[in-house]
Amino acid sequence: MKTKNKIAIISNSHLGKDVRLYYKIAKSLSIDNDIRIFTPRTDTDLESNPSFQNCSENSKKLILRKIYAETLLFNPSYVICVEPLTIMVGIALKKKINCKIGYDNHEFYTEGFAERFSLLKYPALIFYTFLEKFLIGKLDFAFAVNHYLKKKFIKKNIPVNIIPNYPILNNAEDNINSEKIYDFVYVGGIHPEKGIEVLIKAISLFKKRDVTALIVGQ
């Protein structure tokens, strides 16, 4: 009987049953592998597959240490990092147990990070972009949500696959025959860290006067 690989998915902010992490990635990989999601925003459940490990602490720095310690006990063959900061945890794990590390790049993290700063937005963007490029160079593989984010990994010769958030319609029969209400719909965190300012500016670039957008979230 084939031995299943242990794969850890580590995040310092996402929900354990985040739609992308759990339903698109973890559930798919769990068919042939043992998957465990490590995050401060979940209930611990070590019996299921995918399984969950709560890594809550009082600060983000301590959360990263907790994620490292708990993931080390799991002893995975592969680690999928979800944020740039968790790549540092992945690098430490790779040195310790010689696992392969990957990165699920499904957000424009550098732009979102920079939006937290007002007067120092552009210096922050430059700093975080440099940090992300350095960390990406340590990866063994990556996933990207679209071809725009895929380019950065190709430049570093890192194997990368696109995993879109939603199905891509391939032909006319796939289209839903209903009247369009909105041109753009965004569902997620409405917060500068999620790049909401970039989204609004992008929508405003359209010259069509009757462009409508629906933005839903906390």
Side-chain angles (χ1 to χ4, degrees):
M1 184 175 179
K2 184 179 178 181
T3 302
K4 290 186 176 182
N5 286 313
K6 287 185 176 182
I7 301 177
I9 299 175
I10 62 174
S11 168
N12 63 7
S13 62
H14 284 71
L15 293 171
K17 287 196 174 181
D18 174 84
V19 172
R20 178 178 176 84
L21 300 187
Y22 179 71
Y23 290 100
K24 289 194 72 71
I25 298 177
K27 289 287 285 184
S28 298
L29 291 174
S30 67
I31 296 172
D32 296 314
N33 305 280
D34 288 330
I35 311 299
R36 183 164 298 173
I37 298 173
F38 298 81
T39 172
R41 303 182 65 193
T42 187
D43 294 325
T44 297
D45 177 6
L46 305 182
E47 302 302 321
S48 61
N49 187 28
S51 57
F52 304 89
Q53 176 66 61
N54 179 280
C55 298
S56 59
E57 283 291 352
N58 296 325
S59 70
K60 286 191 175 183
K61 186 175 181 180
L62 291 177
I63 286 172
L64 293 177
R65 290 182 179 179
K66 184 69 173 289
I67 291 173
Y68 170 81
E70 295 292 349
T71 307
L72 185 61
L73 291 175
F74 184 57
N75 194 30
S77 301
Y78 300 89
V79 175
I80 299 174
C81 309
V82 180
E83 301 90 3
L85 288 178
T86 56
I87 297 178
M88 294 191 292
V89 177
I91 292 170
L93 288 166
K94 184 175 182 178
K95 290 180 179 179
K96 185 71 174 180
I97 58 177
N98 197 32
C99 59
K100 301 292 185 181
I101 58 172
Y103 178 36
D104 179 41
N105 192 188
H106 59 272
E107 296 182 30
F108 292 89
Y109 283 110
T110 53
E111 289 84 352
F113 174 81
E115 283 183 6
R116 292 190 239 176
F117 307 88
S118 54
L119 298 177
L120 298 176
K121 176 185 290 187
Y122 292 107
L125 176 62
I126 293 171
F127 168 77
Y128 208 59
T129 300
F130 176 80
L131 176 62
E132 187 184 46
K133 285 182 178 179
F134 170 77
L135 294 174
I136 283 175
K138 306 295 183 180
L139 298 173
D140 297 296
F141 62 94
F143 304 125
V145 74
N146 55 42
H147 66 278
Y148 297 107
L149 292 173
K150 181 180 179 180
K151 292 178 182 178
K152 69 174 87 173
F153 302 105
I154 293 176
K155 290 179 180 179
K156 294 278 188 177
N157 294 317
I158 295 168
V160 55
N161 286 306
I162 292 180
I163 301 180
N165 276 337
Y166 299 99
I168 297 173
L169 303 180
N170 295 316
N171 53 61
E173 294 179 359
D174 291 334
N175 288 282
I176 300 173
N177 295 318
S178 60
E179 186 177 351
K180 180 178 68 175
I181 301 176
Y182 300 102
D183 295 288
F184 303 96
V185 177
Y186 168 86
V187 180
I190 302 177
H191 190 277
E193 292 184 26
K194 294 293 184 180
I196 198 68
E197 291 181 6
V198 175
L199 174 64
I200 293 172
K201 287 178 181 178
I203 294 173
S204 70
L205 292 176
F206 284 84
K207 295 180 180 180
K208 185 181 175 183
R209 292 184 178 181
D210 60 346
V211 168
T212 57
L214 175 65
I215 300 176
V216 182
Q218 294 182 346

